[in-house]
Amino acid sequence: MILKHINQIPVIAEAHGAKYAVLSPGSRVAPLTLAFTRYRKIECFTLSDERSAAFAALGMAEASNSPVVIACTSGTAASNYIPAVTEAYYRQIPMVILTADRPPEWIDQWDGQTIRQSNLYSNHIKRSFELPVDTSHEDAQWRSNRIINEAFIEAKKHPCGPVHVNIPLREPFYPEPGEKFVYEKNVRIIENSETIRAIPENTLIELHQKYKQGKKILILAGQSNINDETRKKLSDWAKEKNIPVITDIISNCYNVETGITKADIFLKTLKQSEYAKLNPDLIISFGKSIISKNTKLYLRKTVNKKQEHWYVGINEFLSDPLQNLTRTIDLEIDQFLAQTRDWESKDSKYLELWRAKEEKTERKLGKVLSEYKTYLNELLVSKAVFESLPENSKLHLANSMPVRWANFISGKGKNINVIANRGTSGIDGTISTASGHAIIEPARYNVILTGDLSFFYDRNSLWHNYGYKNLCIVIMNNHSGGIFGLIDGPSKQPENKEWFETRQMLTAKNIARDHKLQYFRCTRVEQLQEAKGLINTSVGRLIIEIFTEPEENKKVFKALFQ
């Protein structure tokens, strides 16, 4: 049986800019699957594991900057979307989640694949909707149309994010033999126009006065997908005004001229006597999460009565991770830079203090790399990956230690795009997210730097029929959750190796064979050069597995912070 209100969904989705849909198999979801796959104007993909499917869709939405549809059957299938939904929420990535459901009268009645799906993602979603189960009346059809339009409008509206539409469906789910799919030509599309935000003139004057009073001004860049044009504007603005910009690798601001990329290392060992010298009068922050715990701890300690902290960005909630926020400015960073272009320069002495620390740490980093180059370690591997990245490639960083090692060694250099699931910082979904990028952008090369646990946790990301040739997975396999051997708490406990590091002896060789990926095993420093050559080819489907020893990684980690 063909359902008119279901057949309208792909038409409305396309009108609102959706280009892709990721569908997972199931019976209850069949009307949605058929509606999307037979529409032909939205490219559809099928991934059986709903957790992986949702992360792949997140990657597609991030790469295309457009809302991506995901659809699944009822029951635990919908629950498996939760990790990716929470990530999309905190990363402000537009997704429209369609969950097929049992009719309401069958909830809590021991019926198969039936759970309470209404508001399933309620704490980490922009909006939740439910379509009417009976659409025989024209008012119900009108309501269904309105809900789908609103769902896509909400997903795209700044701040973007995931939106959930629960869809109760009664049998039959499949069209009768000979029944033709017909898509209406005049489906109602409700458009939304967002206005351009700007700082009001009186507020701009007030902000300028406070800027003038500050002698030591600091920009803090959180996670962002900042484009080349905005990055150059930021670089020019900060250079002209002599203002240091603290950048994590995931801020994608590493080529900003006054960028400070090594703060995570040198702020850890900063002497108490140096605190006041680097203490800013005004912090201007933008973006989302910050990797560097040491940066956050330092800036929390530098609070003084006259200090200002402005956050520039559009969020659904007020975020104050430094515990010193004084003002929010609800517009994008490029608009802020444009409106403050004519503000005056500051004395360069404050910038020079940060640069001196940066340069000293660069030398220290070089010394550590030189001292620990005999045996494979994760700092050495991360450096090798960076050196071999082709221009304009994407680097996907897994959580726990890979994103931190990469952050230690990052700096000015190649034009690359860095991606990491730092909205919730979970180890799940890294390979799936990168696969989403790779599938829809076949001309863009994707390199993943991951640990062994993150890789094995997400191995179903490779379980599909899409033969992209632009993905290289670099696994740093230390046979454990290495971060627990480095941080103070668990590393000092006698239970650490069994209950925190969770030692395991798996390798990726058989996974590479099963999914037809080229495999290269690296166990010696001398083999790193060959691994670098494989990464730099910019083509293929391969896994490079590099084996390191936890104790060697621990020595390097400690040397960085001595």
Side-chain angles (χ1 to χ4, degrees):
M1 181 174 68
I2 296 173
L3 301 170
K4 179 181 176 181
H5 72 299
I6 299 299
N7 274 22
Q8 283 194 1
I9 296 175
V11 180
I12 296 169
E14 186 214 355
H16 283 284
K19 300 173 184 176
Y20 309 105
V22 180
L23 314 171
S24 294
S27 190
R28 184 76 47 172
V29 75
L32 285 162
T33 300
L34 296 175
F36 273 93
T37 56
R38 294 185 182 185
Y39 185 58
R40 306 295 185 192
K41 295 182 181 180
I42 290 178
E43 192 171 0
C44 295
F45 303 91
T46 178
L47 285 89
S48 296
D49 183 330
E50 286 85 5
R51 187 178 71 181
S52 181
F55 274 111
L58 182 148
M60 292 177 186
E62 185 175 30
S64 65
N65 196 30
S66 64
V68 171
V69 174
I70 54 176
C72 69
T73 196
S74 62
T76 56
S79 301
N80 283 315
Y81 279 165
I82 290 175
V85 171
T86 57
E87 182 67 25
Y89 179 73
Y90 285 111
R91 294 266 308 286
Q92 299 178 355
I93 294 175
M95 294 169 65
V96 176
I97 303 127
L98 308 178
T99 54
D101 197 4
R102 257 50 177 182
E105 63 268 21
W106 285 103
I107 307 300
D108 297 336
Q109 298 304 305
W110 309 115
D111 201 34
Q113 290 182 252
T114 306
I115 64 172
R116 300 172 187 174
Q117 285 181 206
S118 295
N119 298 306
L120 180 62
Y121 316 106
S122 58
N123 285 333
H124 299 97
I125 206 87
K126 286 192 71 181
R127 290 285 300 280
S128 289
F129 302 95
E130 183 156 300
L131 293 191
V133 66
D134 181 359
T135 56
S136 56
H137 195 281
E138 61 182 18
D139 283 359
Q141 293 279 351
W142 162 77
R143 182 185 174 213
S144 177
N145 172 282
R146 189 191 75 232
I147 285 172
I148 298 300
N149 271 286
E150 189 174 0
F152 280 93
I153 288 170
E154 193 65 38
K156 296 188 300 175
K157 187 188 297 182
H158 284 81
C160 300
V163 174
H164 177 211
V165 183
N166 194 49
I167 306 175
L169 294 164
R170 291 197 176 98
E171 295 189 58
F173 306 134
Y174 303 94
E176 296 294 330
E179 192 176 2
K180 293 183 178 179
F181 263 68
V182 177
Y183 295 94
E184 295 176 69
K185 294 182 179 178
N186 297 313
V187 173
R188 181 180 64 151
I189 307 299
I190 304 172
E191 297 181 355
N192 179 62
S193 299
E194 287 196 80
T195 56
I196 297 173
R197 300 179 186 229
I199 305 171
E201 189 60 33
N202 61 329
T203 304
L204 193 60
I205 292 169
E206 180 190 348
L207 293 175
H208 191 192
Q209 288 301 317
K210 292 187 176 181
Y211 172 86
K212 284 180 180 180
Q213 294 166 13
K215 294 181 179 179
K216 299 185 292 184
I217 298 174
L218 182 69
I219 292 179
L220 179 62
Q223 182 170 20
S224 70
N225 279 331
I226 192 168
N227 59 36
D228 291 343
E229 184 182 352
T230 303
R231 182 164 48 237
K232 185 169 189 315
K233 286 179 183 177
L234 174 63
S235 184
D236 292 345
W237 191 97
K239 179 186 177 184
E240 186 180 291
K241 294 169 177 49
N242 294 315
I243 294 175
V245 182
I246 295 183
T247 67
D248 271 347
I249 188 172
I250 58 172
S251 72
N252 282 296
C253 296
Y254 37 82
N255 279 334
V256 169
E257 191 147 345
T258 63
I260 304 299
T261 64
K262 301 293 180 287
D264 193 38
I265 299 175
F266 67 75
L267 289 177
K268 171 77 171 179
T269 56
L270 195 67
K271 296 176 182 177
Q272 196 67 37
S273 60
E274 297 177 295
Y275 263 61
K277 294 178 183 178
L278 296 180
N279 187 2
D281 302 321
L282 168 62
I283 301 169
I284 302 172
S285 66
F286 71 94
K288 301 175 187 72
S289 66
I290 300 161
I291 299 169
S292 172
K293 183 177 181 180
N294 297 319
T295 300
K296 287 184 280 191
L297 290 175
Y298 168 70
L299 292 175
R300 286 171 191 166
K301 291 176 183 176
T302 62
V303 177
N304 60 58
K305 291 181 180 179
K306 295 182 180 180
Q307 187 182 68
E308 289 274 322
H309 176 190
W310 306 342
Y311 175 80
V312 181
I314 306 169
N315 292 318
E316 282 201 320
F317 47 81
L318 193 149
S319 180
D320 183 23
L322 305 183
Q323 300 179 316
N324 57 14
L325 189 67
T326 58
R327 183 184 291 265
T328 60
I329 302 172
D330 293 340
L331 75 168
E332 302 296 346
I333 187 62
D334 56 347
Q335 184 63 30
F336 175 85
L337 296 172
Q339 287 196 257
T340 58
R341 188 186 301 115
D342 297 331
W343 287 5
E344 57 270 39
S345 298
K346 297 294 178 179
D347 191 309
S348 63
K349 289 180 182 177
Y350 185 59
L351 172 60
E352 288 163 6
L353 285 172
W354 283 94
R355 276 182 163 164
K357 286 289 181 185
E358 178 86 351
E359 290 164 7
K360 183 178 179 181
T361 308
E362 287 277 12
R363 292 192 295 271
K364 178 180 183 179
L365 182 66
K367 184 180 178 183
V368 171
L369 284 164
S370 179
E371 288 179 356
Y372 292 91
K373 64 181 181 181
T374 307
Y375 301 102
L376 285 171
N377 62 73
E378 292 177 353
L379 185 67
L380 199 64
V381 172
S382 300
K383 183 174 183 289
V385 170
F386 259 83
E387 289 174 344
S388 53
L389 286 171
E391 284 287 333
N392 202 36
S393 57
K394 293 185 177 183
L395 175 64
H396 301 261
L397 297 171
N399 283 309
S400 290
M401 284 311 298
V403 72
R404 289 174 170 83
W405 290 118
N407 197 43
F408 294 153
I409 59 95
S410 70
K412 298 179 179 68
K414 295 175 182 176
N415 180 29
I416 58 171
N417 182 212
V418 178
I419 296 148
N421 286 337
R422 294 296 294 181
T424 55
S425 303
I427 68 166
D428 46 355
T430 300
I431 319 300
S432 298
T433 302
S435 296
H437 281 261
I439 288 169
I440 69 163
E441 286 191 307
R444 195 89 181 264
Y445 192 52
N446 293 266
V447 177
I448 304 170
L449 182 63
T450 179
D452 49 300
L453 292 190
S454 291
F455 173 77
F456 293 124
Y457 203 77
D458 197 24
R459 70 184 84 181
N460 273 358
S461 59
L462 303 173
W463 179 35
H464 55 68
N465 298 319
Y466 304 105
Y468 45 73
K469 302 289 185 182
N470 58 337
L471 185 70
C472 172
I473 305 171
V474 181
I475 306 169
M476 297 188 292
N477 192 342
N478 56 34
H479 293 297
S480 68
I483 192 170
F484 294 109
L486 300 176
I487 56 179
D488 287 340
S491 64
K492 295 178 180 178
Q493 309 307 314
E495 297 89 351
N496 183 45
K497 289 195 182 300
E498 181 177 1
W499 296 101
F500 293 93
E501 289 191 28
T502 55
R503 299 282 290 173
Q504 55 80 30
M505 298 310 294
L506 290 174
T507 77
K509 184 177 180 180
N510 289 336
I511 294 173
R513 180 202 64 202
D514 292 344
H515 297 290
K516 297 181 173 56
L517 274 74
Q518 182 183 350
Y519 178 77
F520 179 76
R521 177 186 174 94
C522 180
T523 57
R524 304 187 315 276
V525 169
E526 294 76 19
Q527 294 174 297
L528 267 185
Q529 200 61 36
E530 187 175 353
K532 289 170 69 175
L534 288 169
I535 296 170
N536 194 247
T537 56
S538 304
V539 66
R541 287 159 49 86
L542 69 151
I543 293 175
I544 298 172
E545 190 165 22
I546 304 174
F547 295 86
T548 70
E549 283 298 326
E551 288 305 312
E552 195 68 20
N553 295 327
K554 188 182 293 187
K555 290 176 187 175
V556 174
F557 187 78
K558 287 186 175 180
L560 282 175
F561 294 102
Q562 282 176 352

